[in-house]
Amino acid sequence: MSGSTLHPTPAPETARRDRVIGSYSTGRPGPIVVVTAGVHGNEPAGTLALRRVFDALERDRVPLKGKLLGLAGNVDALARKVRFVERDLNRGWHSDLVRDLLARGDAAAEDREQRELASIFVGLFAEARTPVTFLDVHSTSAGGAPFCAISDTMRNRRLAFALPVPVILGLEESIDGTMLSYLDDLGHVACVFEGGQHDDPLTVDHDEDAIWITLVTAGCLAASDVNDLGRRRARLEAASKGIPHVVEIVHREAVGPDDGFVMRPGYVNFQSIRKGEPLAARADGEVRSTWNARILMPLYQSQGDDGFFVVRAIRKFWLHVSTALRKLRLHVLLPVLPGVKWHESRLDTLIVDPRVARWLVLQIFHLFGFRRRTDEGDRLVFSRRRPDFRKLAPVDYGSRPPA
Ligand SMILES: [Zn+2]
């Protein structure tokens, strides 16, 4: 379907009533913070944390600047306590698909959920004067430390590094079309927060801590507006003690419905793994580690297509180097590398000859904030998120802005 259809886009208030967990504003100008929770319906902890935050804001009449909006992600799946009904709501957030969905008159299951969310987002984009901060709160089937995950832009680092939990880089290289990826590409601040195990009461506490810290980092609240900010920071810090501060994804174990994938029991997030260690079983044999690294999000539930991830620490030194390189905008020199050239038509996109894309080249791209995206034929395509020094991208609404 083309984007030129004249179907009106639904106004945000046509979304189901239980979509909006809360909306808090005191009329003071300031940034917009959006917290989404339960994008996976078997992860309700974030919705409980949001209710606590809204209760406290209203009870204490906290002088918040701007606005906090709390949204339930997958309303139907939350009611049924399943990850999703027909498909993963955290996939398929490509701008052309979203535009088509907004233009459609009908949608069911996750299409409907996505359409309602996208409609609210588009309304916020029109309202926002500065990038909107999105915190997408999740939980994991395995236990272990809380963490956050971002696309590696400077604006995202600012929020992620303010949360005293490990930061995961490179998730977007292994998962395509996530909601935050879509928001990132439009130039907003976007961070996933994983508070802990689905049913652990501590996960709700961690989620609440992360929401308060996000409100302070975004500039909606002063640190002094949050009574127990120090205790909240300390709680998150304690939960992730001994784990590297920044790690990068080096492997995603993709799982299909017929793979017969069974994770070996007992793994938790960030647990160390050794080369040769048996990690899981598949119908076609055993999965052994080929890394001395750490495991992340081992799958202990029936729904989901990520068996586990493998992560490795990034040294602080390299983070400083990459900050300097980006401030100096030295990415213009990347095409000097053999086999690397700018994409003919796409902005901020490089084409790489796979014969030269060895590990070192990958690392250099990462330093500049470029990640491998879709590949075109035998060419590897690297692009970076909307850089921090550019204006927000105009949103393509199709034929008309939302009502
Ligand atoms: Zn999730």
Short mmCIF file of all heavy atoms in Angstrom, two decimals, residues 310-373:
data_model
loop_
_atom_site.label_atom_id
_atom_site.label_comp_id
_atom_site.label_asym_id
_atom_site.label_seq_id
_atom_site.Cartn_x
_atom_site.Cartn_y
_atom_site.Cartn_z
N VAL A 310 25.70 -13.49 23.23
CA VAL A 310 27.03 -13.52 23.86
C VAL A 310 27.58 -12.10 23.84
O VAL A 310 27.49 -11.41 22.81
CB VAL A 310 27.97 -14.47 23.10
CG1 VAL A 310 29.36 -14.46 23.72
CG2 VAL A 310 27.39 -15.89 23.12
N VAL A 311 28.06 -11.65 25.00
CA VAL A 311 28.57 -10.27 25.09
C VAL A 311 30.00 -10.26 25.62
O VAL A 311 30.43 -11.18 26.30
CB VAL A 311 27.68 -9.38 26.01
CG1 VAL A 311 26.29 -9.24 25.43
CG2 VAL A 311 27.62 -9.93 27.43
N ARG A 312 30.70 -9.19 25.28
CA ARG A 312 32.09 -9.04 25.68
C ARG A 312 32.31 -7.58 26.12
O ARG A 312 31.73 -6.68 25.53
CB ARG A 312 32.96 -9.36 24.46
CG ARG A 312 34.37 -9.72 24.78
CD ARG A 312 35.07 -10.18 23.52
NE ARG A 312 34.98 -11.62 23.32
CZ ARG A 312 35.21 -12.22 22.15
NH1 ARG A 312 35.50 -11.51 21.09
NH2 ARG A 312 35.16 -13.53 22.05
N ALA A 313 33.15 -7.38 27.10
CA ALA A 313 33.37 -6.03 27.64
C ALA A 313 34.06 -5.13 26.61
O ALA A 313 34.90 -5.58 25.84
CB ALA A 313 34.22 -6.11 28.91
N ILE A 314 33.69 -3.85 26.62
CA ILE A 314 34.40 -2.83 25.85
C ILE A 314 35.16 -1.99 26.85
O ILE A 314 34.60 -1.55 27.85
CB ILE A 314 33.41 -1.92 25.09
CG1 ILE A 314 32.59 -2.73 24.10
CG2 ILE A 314 34.16 -0.80 24.36
CD1 ILE A 314 31.59 -1.87 23.33
N ARG A 315 36.44 -1.74 26.56
CA ARG A 315 37.22 -0.96 27.51
C ARG A 315 36.86 0.52 27.40
O ARG A 315 36.61 1.04 26.33
CB ARG A 315 38.71 -1.18 27.28
CG ARG A 315 39.14 -2.57 27.80
CD ARG A 315 40.63 -2.67 27.89
NE ARG A 315 41.23 -2.61 26.55
CZ ARG A 315 42.38 -1.97 26.28
NH1 ARG A 315 43.02 -1.33 27.22
NH2 ARG A 315 42.86 -1.99 25.06
N LYS A 316 36.86 1.19 28.58
CA LYS A 316 36.54 2.62 28.65
C LYS A 316 37.37 3.43 27.68
O LYS A 316 36.88 4.38 27.06
CB LYS A 316 36.81 3.13 30.09
CG LYS A 316 35.72 2.75 31.07
CD LYS A 316 34.88 3.98 31.46
CE LYS A 316 33.58 3.58 32.12
NZ LYS A 316 33.81 2.97 33.46
N PHE A 317 38.66 3.04 27.54
CA PHE A 317 39.56 3.77 26.65
C PHE A 317 38.95 3.94 25.26
O PHE A 317 38.95 5.02 24.68
CB PHE A 317 40.90 3.02 26.56
CG PHE A 317 41.79 3.51 25.45
CD1 PHE A 317 42.51 4.69 25.60
CD2 PHE A 317 41.91 2.80 24.27
CE1 PHE A 317 43.33 5.16 24.58
CE2 PHE A 317 42.73 3.26 23.24
CZ PHE A 317 43.44 4.44 23.39
N TRP A 318 38.39 2.84 24.74
CA TRP A 318 37.84 2.90 23.38
C TRP A 318 36.59 3.76 23.30
O TRP A 318 36.30 4.36 22.28
CB TRP A 318 37.56 1.48 22.86
CG TRP A 318 38.84 0.76 22.58
CD1 TRP A 318 39.36 -0.30 23.25
CD2 TRP A 318 39.79 1.10 21.56
NE1 TRP A 318 40.58 -0.66 22.72
CE2 TRP A 318 40.87 0.18 21.68
CE3 TRP A 318 39.86 2.08 20.57
CZ2 TRP A 318 41.98 0.22 20.84
CZ3 TRP A 318 40.96 2.13 19.73
CH2 TRP A 318 42.00 1.21 19.87
N LEU A 319 35.84 3.81 24.42
CA LEU A 319 34.67 4.69 24.43
C LEU A 319 35.10 6.15 24.33
O LEU A 319 34.50 6.95 23.62
CB LEU A 319 33.86 4.47 25.71
CG LEU A 319 33.17 3.12 25.79
CD1 LEU A 319 32.60 2.90 27.18
CD2 LEU A 319 32.07 3.02 24.74
N HIS A 320 36.19 6.49 25.04
CA HIS A 320 36.70 7.87 24.97
C HIS A 320 37.20 8.18 23.56
O HIS A 320 36.97 9.25 23.02
CB HIS A 320 37.81 8.09 26.00
CG HIS A 320 37.34 8.00 27.42
ND1 HIS A 320 36.20 8.66 27.86
CD2 HIS A 320 37.81 7.32 28.49
CE1 HIS A 320 36.01 8.38 29.14
NE2 HIS A 320 36.97 7.57 29.55
N VAL A 321 37.91 7.20 22.98
CA VAL A 321 38.41 7.40 21.61
C VAL A 321 37.24 7.66 20.67
O VAL A 321 37.26 8.59 19.85
CB VAL A 321 39.20 6.15 21.14
CG1 VAL A 321 39.49 6.23 19.64
CG2 VAL A 321 40.51 6.03 21.92
N SER A 322 36.18 6.87 20.80
CA SER A 322 35.08 7.01 19.86
C SER A 322 34.36 8.35 20.07
O SER A 322 33.91 8.96 19.11
CB SER A 322 34.11 5.83 19.96
OG SER A 322 33.34 5.89 21.12
N THR A 323 34.27 8.82 21.32
CA THR A 323 33.67 10.14 21.56
C THR A 323 34.47 11.21 20.82
O THR A 323 33.91 12.07 20.13
CB THR A 323 33.67 10.46 23.07
OG1 THR A 323 33.00 9.41 23.75
CG2 THR A 323 32.98 11.77 23.36
N ALA A 324 35.79 11.14 20.95
CA ALA A 324 36.65 12.14 20.31
C ALA A 324 36.51 12.08 18.79
O ALA A 324 36.34 13.11 18.13
CB ALA A 324 38.10 11.91 20.72
N LEU A 325 36.53 10.89 18.24
CA LEU A 325 36.43 10.73 16.78
C LEU A 325 35.14 11.34 16.25
O LEU A 325 35.11 11.99 15.20
CB LEU A 325 36.46 9.25 16.39
CG LEU A 325 37.79 8.52 16.58
CD1 LEU A 325 37.61 7.02 16.33
CD2 LEU A 325 38.84 9.07 15.62
N ARG A 326 34.06 11.13 17.01
CA ARG A 326 32.76 11.62 16.54
C ARG A 326 32.64 13.12 16.68
O ARG A 326 32.07 13.79 15.82
CB ARG A 326 31.64 10.92 17.30
CG ARG A 326 31.59 9.45 16.93
CD ARG A 326 30.44 8.78 17.62
NE ARG A 326 30.73 7.39 17.84
CZ ARG A 326 29.87 6.56 18.39
NH1 ARG A 326 28.68 6.99 18.75
NH2 ARG A 326 30.19 5.30 18.57
N LYS A 327 33.20 13.66 17.77
CA LYS A 327 33.15 15.12 17.94
C LYS A 327 33.92 15.79 16.82
O LYS A 327 33.55 16.85 16.34
CB LYS A 327 33.73 15.51 19.30
CG LYS A 327 32.70 15.32 20.41
CD LYS A 327 33.12 15.95 21.71
CE LYS A 327 32.02 15.80 22.76
NZ LYS A 327 32.56 15.75 24.11
N LEU A 328 35.02 15.17 16.41
CA LEU A 328 35.84 15.75 15.33
C LEU A 328 35.28 15.42 13.95
O LEU A 328 35.80 15.86 12.94
CB LEU A 328 37.29 15.22 15.44
CG LEU A 328 38.04 15.67 16.70
CD1 LEU A 328 39.33 14.87 16.86
CD2 LEU A 328 38.34 17.16 16.65
N ARG A 329 34.22 14.62 13.94
CA ARG A 329 33.55 14.22 12.68
C ARG A 329 34.53 13.58 11.70
O ARG A 329 34.50 13.86 10.48
CB ARG A 329 32.85 15.41 12.04
CG ARG A 329 31.81 15.99 13.00
CD ARG A 329 30.98 17.03 12.34
NE ARG A 329 30.25 17.79 13.36
CZ ARG A 329 29.41 18.77 13.11
NH1 ARG A 329 29.18 19.12 11.88
NH2 ARG A 329 28.80 19.40 14.08
N LEU A 330 35.41 12.75 12.23
CA LEU A 330 36.42 12.13 11.38
C LEU A 330 35.87 10.98 10.53
O LEU A 330 36.60 10.39 9.76
CB LEU A 330 37.59 11.64 12.25
CG LEU A 330 38.44 12.77 12.85
CD1 LEU A 330 39.55 12.20 13.72
CD2 LEU A 330 39.04 13.65 11.75
N HIS A 331 34.57 10.70 10.68
CA HIS A 331 33.99 9.63 9.86
C HIS A 331 34.11 9.94 8.37
O HIS A 331 34.06 9.04 7.55
CB HIS A 331 32.51 9.43 10.22
CG HIS A 331 31.66 10.60 9.89
ND1 HIS A 331 31.58 11.71 10.69
CD2 HIS A 331 30.87 10.86 8.83
CE1 HIS A 331 30.76 12.60 10.14
NE2 HIS A 331 30.32 12.11 9.00
N VAL A 332 34.31 11.22 8.04
CA VAL A 332 34.45 11.57 6.61
C VAL A 332 35.67 10.86 6.01
O VAL A 332 35.77 10.74 4.79
CB VAL A 332 34.57 13.10 6.40
CG1 VAL A 332 33.28 13.78 6.78
CG2 VAL A 332 35.74 13.69 7.17
N LEU A 333 36.58 10.40 6.89
CA LEU A 333 37.78 9.74 6.38
C LEU A 333 37.58 8.24 6.14
O LEU A 333 38.44 7.58 5.57
CB LEU A 333 38.94 9.93 7.38
CG LEU A 333 39.39 11.38 7.58
CD1 LEU A 333 40.47 11.44 8.66
CD2 LEU A 333 39.91 11.98 6.28
N LEU A 334 36.43 7.69 6.61
CA LEU A 334 36.25 6.23 6.50
C LEU A 334 36.41 5.70 5.06
O LEU A 334 37.00 4.64 4.87
CB LEU A 334 34.89 5.81 7.07
CG LEU A 334 34.83 5.70 8.60
CD1 LEU A 334 33.39 5.50 9.06
CD2 LEU A 334 35.70 4.56 9.10
N PRO A 335 35.91 6.42 4.04
CA PRO A 335 36.07 5.89 2.68
C PRO A 335 37.53 5.81 2.22
O PRO A 335 37.80 5.28 1.13
CB PRO A 335 35.27 6.90 1.83
CG PRO A 335 34.30 7.48 2.76
CD PRO A 335 35.03 7.59 4.08
N VAL A 336 38.45 6.31 3.03
CA VAL A 336 39.87 6.15 2.71
C VAL A 336 40.28 4.67 2.87
O VAL A 336 41.18 4.18 2.20
CB VAL A 336 40.73 7.06 3.62
CG1 VAL A 336 42.21 6.73 3.52
CG2 VAL A 336 40.48 8.53 3.27
N LEU A 337 39.56 3.96 3.73
CA LEU A 337 39.87 2.55 3.95
C LEU A 337 39.62 1.76 2.66
O LEU A 337 38.69 2.07 1.91
CB LEU A 337 38.98 1.97 5.06
CG LEU A 337 39.20 2.47 6.47
CD1 LEU A 337 38.06 2.02 7.39
CD2 LEU A 337 40.53 1.97 7.01
N PRO A 338 40.45 0.74 2.38
CA PRO A 338 40.25 -0.03 1.15
C PRO A 338 38.90 -0.74 1.15
O PRO A 338 38.47 -1.28 2.18
CB PRO A 338 41.41 -1.04 1.18
CG PRO A 338 41.86 -1.09 2.60
CD PRO A 338 41.57 0.24 3.20
N GLY A 339 38.20 -0.71 0.04
CA GLY A 339 36.92 -1.43 -0.08
C GLY A 339 35.75 -0.74 0.59
O GLY A 339 34.70 -1.33 0.75
N VAL A 340 35.91 0.53 0.99
CA VAL A 340 34.84 1.25 1.67
C VAL A 340 34.47 2.49 0.86
O VAL A 340 35.34 3.25 0.44
CB VAL A 340 35.29 1.70 3.09
CG1 VAL A 340 34.18 2.50 3.78
CG2 VAL A 340 35.67 0.49 3.94
N LYS A 341 33.16 2.69 0.60
CA LYS A 341 32.74 3.91 -0.09
C LYS A 341 31.35 4.32 0.40
O LYS A 341 30.63 3.51 0.99
CB LYS A 341 32.73 3.70 -1.60
CG LYS A 341 31.82 2.59 -2.05
CD LYS A 341 31.80 2.47 -3.57
CE LYS A 341 30.77 1.43 -3.95
NZ LYS A 341 30.63 1.19 -5.35
N TRP A 342 31.00 5.58 0.16
CA TRP A 342 29.67 6.06 0.55
C TRP A 342 28.61 5.42 -0.32
O TRP A 342 28.84 5.14 -1.49
CB TRP A 342 29.57 7.59 0.42
CG TRP A 342 30.38 8.32 1.45
CD1 TRP A 342 31.51 9.06 1.22
CD2 TRP A 342 30.15 8.36 2.86
NE1 TRP A 342 32.00 9.55 2.40
CE2 TRP A 342 31.18 9.16 3.43
CE3 TRP A 342 29.18 7.82 3.71
CZ2 TRP A 342 31.26 9.41 4.80
CZ3 TRP A 342 29.27 8.07 5.07
CH2 TRP A 342 30.29 8.85 5.61
N HIS A 343 27.43 5.19 0.26
CA HIS A 343 26.29 4.66 -0.48
C HIS A 343 25.85 5.69 -1.53
O HIS A 343 25.90 6.89 -1.28
CB HIS A 343 25.14 4.36 0.49
CG HIS A 343 24.05 3.52 -0.09
ND1 HIS A 343 23.08 4.05 -0.89
CD2 HIS A 343 23.78 2.19 0.03
CE1 HIS A 343 22.25 3.07 -1.25
NE2 HIS A 343 22.66 1.94 -0.71
N GLU A 344 25.43 5.19 -2.69
CA GLU A 344 25.07 6.09 -3.81
C GLU A 344 23.92 7.01 -3.43
O GLU A 344 23.87 8.17 -3.85
CB GLU A 344 24.64 5.28 -5.04
CG GLU A 344 25.71 4.34 -5.60
CD GLU A 344 25.76 2.99 -4.88
OE1 GLU A 344 25.00 2.82 -3.89
OE2 GLU A 344 26.56 2.13 -5.27
N SER A 345 22.95 6.53 -2.65
CA SER A 345 21.74 7.34 -2.44
C SER A 345 21.39 7.54 -0.97
O SER A 345 20.63 8.44 -0.64
CB SER A 345 20.55 6.69 -3.16
OG SER A 345 20.40 5.37 -2.70
N ARG A 346 21.92 6.72 -0.07
CA ARG A 346 21.46 6.81 1.31
C ARG A 346 22.43 7.59 2.19
O ARG A 346 23.63 7.35 2.16
CB ARG A 346 21.20 5.42 1.89
CG ARG A 346 19.85 4.88 1.41
CD ARG A 346 19.78 3.39 1.45
NE ARG A 346 20.04 2.85 2.78
CZ ARG A 346 20.14 1.57 3.03
NH1 ARG A 346 20.01 0.69 2.06
NH2 ARG A 346 20.36 1.15 4.25
N LEU A 347 21.84 8.49 2.96
CA LEU A 347 22.60 9.35 3.86
C LEU A 347 23.29 8.52 4.96
O LEU A 347 22.74 7.54 5.42
CB LEU A 347 21.59 10.32 4.50
CG LEU A 347 22.11 11.62 5.08
CD1 LEU A 347 22.62 12.53 3.98
CD2 LEU A 347 20.98 12.31 5.85
N ASP A 348 24.47 8.95 5.36
CA ASP A 348 25.15 8.33 6.50
C ASP A 348 25.29 6.82 6.35
O ASP A 348 25.21 6.09 7.34
CB ASP A 348 24.41 8.64 7.81
CG ASP A 348 24.66 10.07 8.26
OD1 ASP A 348 25.82 10.50 8.18
OD2 ASP A 348 23.70 10.73 8.68
N THR A 349 25.47 6.36 5.12
CA THR A 349 25.53 4.93 4.88
C THR A 349 26.76 4.60 4.03
O THR A 349 27.05 5.29 3.05
CB THR A 349 24.25 4.47 4.15
OG1 THR A 349 23.12 4.83 4.94
CG2 THR A 349 24.24 2.97 3.93
N LEU A 350 27.47 3.57 4.46
CA LEU A 350 28.69 3.16 3.76
C LEU A 350 28.52 1.76 3.20
O LEU A 350 27.86 0.91 3.81
CB LEU A 350 29.87 3.16 4.75
CG LEU A 350 30.36 4.54 5.19
CD1 LEU A 350 31.08 4.43 6.53
CD2 LEU A 350 31.28 5.17 4.15
N ILE A 351 29.11 1.54 2.04
CA ILE A 351 29.12 0.22 1.42
C ILE A 351 30.50 -0.37 1.64
O ILE A 351 31.50 0.31 1.42
CB ILE A 351 28.90 0.36 -0.11
CG1 ILE A 351 27.59 1.08 -0.40
CG2 ILE A 351 28.97 -0.99 -0.78
CD1 ILE A 351 26.38 0.29 -0.05
N VAL A 352 30.52 -1.63 2.06
CA VAL A 352 31.81 -2.25 2.37
C VAL A 352 31.96 -3.54 1.58
O VAL A 352 31.04 -4.37 1.55
CB VAL A 352 31.93 -2.53 3.88
CG1 VAL A 352 33.26 -3.16 4.20
CG2 VAL A 352 31.72 -1.25 4.67
N ASP A 353 33.10 -3.71 0.98
CA ASP A 353 33.43 -4.95 0.29
C ASP A 353 33.66 -6.02 1.36
O ASP A 353 34.54 -5.86 2.21
CB ASP A 353 34.70 -4.73 -0.55
CG ASP A 353 35.07 -5.95 -1.35
OD1 ASP A 353 34.77 -7.07 -0.89
OD2 ASP A 353 35.68 -5.78 -2.41
N PRO A 354 32.87 -7.12 1.33
CA PRO A 354 32.99 -8.11 2.42
C PRO A 354 34.39 -8.70 2.55
O PRO A 354 34.78 -9.17 3.61
CB PRO A 354 31.97 -9.18 2.04
CG PRO A 354 31.60 -8.94 0.63
CD PRO A 354 31.87 -7.50 0.33
N ARG A 355 35.17 -8.65 1.46
CA ARG A 355 36.52 -9.23 1.54
C ARG A 355 37.43 -8.46 2.49
O ARG A 355 38.41 -8.97 2.98
CB ARG A 355 37.15 -9.30 0.14
CG ARG A 355 36.58 -10.42 -0.70
CD ARG A 355 36.95 -10.26 -2.15
NE ARG A 355 36.36 -9.05 -2.71
CZ ARG A 355 36.51 -8.65 -3.97
NH1 ARG A 355 37.27 -9.35 -4.79
NH2 ARG A 355 35.93 -7.55 -4.41
N VAL A 356 37.08 -7.18 2.71
CA VAL A 356 37.92 -6.39 3.63
C VAL A 356 37.28 -6.22 5.01
O VAL A 356 37.88 -5.67 5.91
CB VAL A 356 38.27 -5.00 3.06
CG1 VAL A 356 38.99 -5.14 1.74
CG2 VAL A 356 37.04 -4.14 2.94
N ALA A 357 36.04 -6.68 5.14
CA ALA A 357 35.33 -6.45 6.41
C ALA A 357 35.76 -7.46 7.47
O ALA A 357 34.96 -8.23 7.97
CB ALA A 357 33.82 -6.50 6.17
N ARG A 358 37.00 -7.43 7.78
CA ARG A 358 37.48 -8.30 8.84
C ARG A 358 37.16 -7.66 10.19
O ARG A 358 36.68 -6.55 10.27
CB ARG A 358 38.97 -8.53 8.66
CG ARG A 358 39.29 -9.48 7.52
CD ARG A 358 40.77 -9.79 7.50
NE ARG A 358 41.54 -8.60 7.17
CZ ARG A 358 41.86 -8.24 5.94
NH1 ARG A 358 41.47 -8.97 4.91
NH2 ARG A 358 42.56 -7.15 5.72
N TRP A 359 37.52 -8.37 11.23
CA TRP A 359 37.17 -7.94 12.57
C TRP A 359 37.62 -6.51 12.86
O TRP A 359 36.89 -5.70 13.37
CB TRP A 359 37.79 -8.91 13.58
CG TRP A 359 37.44 -8.56 14.98
CD1 TRP A 359 36.29 -8.90 15.64
CD2 TRP A 359 38.20 -7.79 15.88
NE1 TRP A 359 36.31 -8.38 16.90
CE2 TRP A 359 37.47 -7.70 17.08
CE3 TRP A 359 39.45 -7.16 15.82
CZ2 TRP A 359 37.93 -7.01 18.19
CZ3 TRP A 359 39.91 -6.47 16.92
CH2 TRP A 359 39.15 -6.40 18.10
N LEU A 360 38.86 -6.19 12.46
CA LEU A 360 39.40 -4.87 12.76
C LEU A 360 38.56 -3.78 12.10
O LEU A 360 38.27 -2.75 12.69
CB LEU A 360 40.86 -4.78 12.28
CG LEU A 360 41.53 -3.43 12.57
CD1 LEU A 360 41.64 -3.21 14.07
CD2 LEU A 360 42.91 -3.36 11.93
N VAL A 361 38.15 -4.04 10.85
CA VAL A 361 37.34 -3.05 10.14
C VAL A 361 36.01 -2.85 10.87
O VAL A 361 35.55 -1.73 11.05
CB VAL A 361 37.12 -3.50 8.68
CG1 VAL A 361 36.19 -2.53 7.97
CG2 VAL A 361 38.45 -3.58 7.95
N LEU A 362 35.41 -3.94 11.31
CA LEU A 362 34.16 -3.84 12.08
C LEU A 362 34.33 -2.96 13.29
O LEU A 362 33.51 -2.10 13.58
CB LEU A 362 33.71 -5.24 12.53
CG LEU A 362 33.05 -6.13 11.51
CD1 LEU A 362 32.81 -7.51 12.11
CD2 LEU A 362 31.73 -5.53 11.06
N GLN A 363 35.43 -3.18 14.01
CA GLN A 363 35.67 -2.41 15.23
C GLN A 363 35.83 -0.92 14.91
O GLN A 363 35.35 -0.06 15.65
CB GLN A 363 36.94 -2.92 15.94
CG GLN A 363 36.81 -4.34 16.47
CD GLN A 363 35.62 -4.48 17.41
OE1 GLN A 363 35.50 -3.75 18.37
NE2 GLN A 363 34.75 -5.42 17.11
N ILE A 364 36.49 -0.62 13.79
CA ILE A 364 36.66 0.78 13.41
C ILE A 364 35.30 1.42 13.13
O ILE A 364 35.01 2.52 13.58
CB ILE A 364 37.60 0.90 12.18
CG1 ILE A 364 39.03 0.52 12.59
CG2 ILE A 364 37.57 2.31 11.60
CD1 ILE A 364 40.00 0.38 11.43
N PHE A 365 34.44 0.69 12.43
CA PHE A 365 33.10 1.21 12.15
C PHE A 365 32.33 1.48 13.45
O PHE A 365 31.66 2.48 13.60
CB PHE A 365 32.31 0.25 11.27
CG PHE A 365 32.66 0.36 9.83
CD1 PHE A 365 33.45 -0.59 9.21
CD2 PHE A 365 32.22 1.44 9.08
CE1 PHE A 365 33.79 -0.47 7.88
CE2 PHE A 365 32.55 1.56 7.75
CZ PHE A 365 33.35 0.60 7.14
N HIS A 366 32.42 0.55 14.37
CA HIS A 366 31.72 0.72 15.64
C HIS A 366 32.19 1.98 16.37
O HIS A 366 31.38 2.69 16.97
CB HIS A 366 31.93 -0.51 16.53
CG HIS A 366 31.21 -1.72 16.02
ND1 HIS A 366 31.35 -2.96 16.60
CD2 HIS A 366 30.36 -1.88 15.00
CE1 HIS A 366 30.60 -3.83 15.94
NE2 HIS A 366 30.00 -3.19 14.97
N LEU A 367 33.48 2.24 16.33
CA LEU A 367 34.01 3.43 17.00
C LEU A 367 33.34 4.70 16.49
O LEU A 367 33.09 5.64 17.22
CB LEU A 367 35.52 3.56 16.75
CG LEU A 367 36.44 2.66 17.56
CD1 LEU A 367 37.87 2.87 17.12
CD2 LEU A 367 36.29 2.98 19.04
N PHE A 368 33.05 4.71 15.19
CA PHE A 368 32.43 5.89 14.59
C PHE A 368 30.90 5.85 14.70
O PHE A 368 30.22 6.71 14.18
CB PHE A 368 32.82 5.99 13.11
CG PHE A 368 34.24 6.46 12.90
CD1 PHE A 368 35.26 5.55 12.70
CD2 PHE A 368 34.53 7.82 12.91
CE1 PHE A 368 36.56 5.99 12.51
CE2 PHE A 368 35.83 8.25 12.72
CZ PHE A 368 36.85 7.34 12.52
N GLY A 369 30.38 4.83 15.36
CA GLY A 369 28.93 4.75 15.56
C GLY A 369 28.21 4.12 14.38
O GLY A 369 26.99 4.18 14.29
N PHE A 370 28.95 3.49 13.45
CA PHE A 370 28.30 2.81 12.33
C PHE A 370 28.12 1.33 12.68
O PHE A 370 28.99 0.71 13.29
CB PHE A 370 29.18 2.90 11.07
CG PHE A 370 29.12 4.24 10.39
CD1 PHE A 370 29.85 5.31 10.89
CD2 PHE A 370 28.32 4.44 9.29
CE1 PHE A 370 29.79 6.55 10.29
CE2 PHE A 370 28.25 5.68 8.67
CZ PHE A 370 28.99 6.75 9.17
N ARG A 371 26.95 0.81 12.33
CA ARG A 371 26.65 -0.60 12.59
C ARG A 371 26.20 -1.25 11.31
O ARG A 371 25.60 -0.62 10.45
CB ARG A 371 25.52 -0.71 13.61
CG ARG A 371 25.86 -0.18 14.95
CD ARG A 371 26.52 -1.23 15.83
NE ARG A 371 27.30 -0.59 16.87
CZ ARG A 371 28.05 -1.25 17.74
NH1 ARG A 371 28.13 -2.56 17.68
NH2 ARG A 371 28.72 -0.62 18.65
N ARG A 372 26.47 -2.55 11.22
CA ARG A 372 26.04 -3.28 10.04
C ARG A 372 24.52 -3.38 10.04
O ARG A 372 23.93 -3.78 11.02
CB ARG A 372 26.67 -4.67 10.06
CG ARG A 372 26.44 -5.42 8.79
CD ARG A 372 27.28 -6.67 8.81
NE ARG A 372 26.76 -7.62 7.85
CZ ARG A 372 27.23 -8.83 7.70
NH1 ARG A 372 28.22 -9.25 8.47
NH2 ARG A 372 26.72 -9.63 6.80
N ARG A 373 23.91 -2.99 8.93
CA ARG A 373 22.45 -3.04 8.84
C ARG A 373 22.08 -4.07 7.78
O ARG A 373 22.65 -5.14 7.75
CB ARG A 373 21.90 -1.65 8.48
CG ARG A 373 22.34 -0.55 9.43
CD ARG A 373 21.73 -0.69 10.81
NE ARG A 373 20.30 -0.40 10.83
CZ ARG A 373 19.79 0.81 10.90
NH1 ARG A 373 20.55 1.87 10.97
NH2 ARG A 373 18.48 0.98 10.94
#
